[in-house]
């Protein structure tokens, strides 16, 4: 995109600190149903679902966990079967050996250090085997105590298009976003960005003509 166009667009839309409120408001109105796509009934099922979602789709995870959660109800259940059996049960999610190992390690730590309960604090969640910052952020947010902002591919791409960040690294992008997004919106902001990215702001063919952010809030729009 030519520098002259970018400079003109930035002047048109205004500073990001002034835009973030209206961006969230319009996306919330446009995607009132925006929420996590994973299906779960408990904090443990949430944690397992998010751990299994790496490198696969939420639809695929939901298909697998529909049967998985009928068999495994508590941390002890994941340790009561041979690892090979757990691997077969989650095979369809991909990377099943690593995921099974991480799940068993996490369940063991939950039993030994957290009385079988899923911790809610980010610093505790990231200690669990196979739980990186993104996974921990998702779990903490869904359990009602977000300590950061989830940055997935959609959040990264849209944040860059909206010029909310110039960073490429997810950790640095999150750092920019937590300074910008009001804390009360930390949990819903990623969902709004994800659903908008799926429905409207496609990576290759963004539908700017129907985007509620076009013209006055998005410096990348071509409308």
């Amino acid at each position: 995109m030519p520098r002259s166009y970018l400079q003109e667009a930035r002047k048109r839309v205004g500073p990001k600190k002034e835009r973030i409120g209206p961006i969230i408001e319009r996306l919330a109105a446009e995607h009132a149903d925006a929420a996590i796509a994973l299906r779960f009934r408990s904090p443990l099922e949430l944690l397992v679902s998010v751990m299994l979602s790496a490198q696969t789709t939420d639809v695929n995870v939901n298909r697998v966990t529909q049967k998985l959660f009928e068999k495994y109800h508590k941390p002890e259940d994941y340790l009561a079967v041979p690892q090979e059996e757990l691997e077969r049960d989650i095979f369809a999610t991909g990377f099943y050996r690593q995921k099974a190992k991480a799940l068993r390690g996490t369940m063991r730590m939950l039993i030994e250090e957290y009385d079988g309960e899923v911790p809610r604090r980010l610093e505790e969640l990231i200690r669990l085997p196979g739980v990186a910052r993104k996974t921990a952020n998702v779990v903490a947010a869904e359990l009602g105590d977000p300590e950061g902002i989830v940055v997935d591919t959609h959040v990264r791409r849209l944040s860059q298009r909206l010029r909310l960040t110039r960073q490429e690294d997810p950790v640095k992008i999150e750092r920019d976003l937590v300074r910008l997004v009001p804390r009360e919106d930390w949990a819903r902001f990623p969902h709004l960005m994800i659903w908008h990215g799926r429905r409207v702001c496609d990576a290759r063919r963004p539908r700017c003509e129907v985007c509620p952010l076009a013209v006055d809030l998005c410096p990348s729009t071509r409308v």
Side-chain angles (χ1 to χ4, degrees):
M1 192 176 296
R3 176 177 292 273
S4 59
Y5 174 82
L6 283 177
Q7 290 175 338
E8 180 182 341
R10 286 168 184 160
K11 291 179 181 178
R12 183 184 71 241
V13 301
K16 58 188 177 184
K17 288 185 178 180
E18 295 178 6
R19 290 186 289 123
I20 191 63
I23 286 173
I24 294 172
E25 290 175 6
R26 291 190 197 178
L27 290 182
E30 183 77 6
H31 310 289
D33 58 341
I36 190 170
L38 296 171
R39 297 174 190 157
F40 57 92
R41 298 164 297 186
S42 68
L44 183 64
E45 290 186 358
L46 167 64
L47 176 60
V48 172
S49 295
V50 181
M51 291 178 69
L52 292 178
S53 69
Q55 305 300 315
T56 190
T57 65
D58 292 342
V59 172
N60 193 34
V61 172
N62 289 335
R63 189 180 299 118
V64 170
T65 57
Q66 184 175 6
K67 294 182 178 179
L68 190 75
F69 294 154
E70 293 303 316
K71 180 176 180 179
Y72 302 89
H73 302 281
K74 55 186 184 296
E76 289 82 358
D77 295 338
Y78 290 85
L79 300 174
V81 300
Q83 179 163 323
E84 293 75 15
E85 184 174 343
L86 179 57
E87 289 176 358
R88 289 194 297 271
D89 290 337
I90 64 172
F91 177 82
T93 66
F95 299 94
Y96 58 94
R97 289 193 180 91
Q98 298 96 310
K99 290 179 180 180
K101 182 179 180 181
L103 282 173
R104 286 168 63 85
T106 284
M107 299 307 161
R108 190 171 291 109
M109 184 176 287
L110 290 181
I111 294 169
E112 294 175 353
E113 300 189 27
Y114 298 102
D115 296 322
E117 301 294 325
V118 176
R120 293 172 178 260
R121 293 188 59 78
L122 198 68
E123 62 186 24
E124 295 176 317
L125 286 165
I126 59 177
R127 293 184 60 238
L128 301 173
V131 176
R133 185 175 180 86
K134 176 186 170 184
T135 299
N137 266 330
V138 173
V139 173
E142 292 303 316
L143 293 182
D145 190 22
E147 295 181 53
I149 293 176
V150 176
V151 177
D152 76 340
T153 54
H154 290 292
V155 176
R156 173 184 174 183
R157 178 168 54 81
L158 268 65
S159 294
Q160 292 169 338
R161 279 186 175 174
L162 289 166
R163 300 296 185 267
L164 302 180
T165 183
R166 295 182 180 181
Q167 302 295 336
E168 294 288 340
D169 179 74
V171 174
K172 293 181 179 179
I173 292 174
E174 182 186 359
R175 193 176 301 145
D176 284 347
L177 292 178
V178 296
R179 293 193 190 109
L180 192 62
V181 177
R183 191 180 183 98
E184 62 267 23
D185 292 315
W186 283 6
R188 70 168 176 165
F189 181 77
H191 295 314
L192 296 174
M193 298 285 269
I194 290 168
W195 285 86
H196 193 62
R198 289 173 177 170
R199 292 171 169 171
V200 179
C201 196
D202 183 74
R204 295 185 178 181
R205 294 184 178 181
R207 300 169 60 218
C208 297
E209 68 279 3
V210 297
C211 179
L213 308 181
V215 183
D216 63 331
L217 291 177
C218 179
S220 300
T221 184
R222 286 292 188 174
V223 175

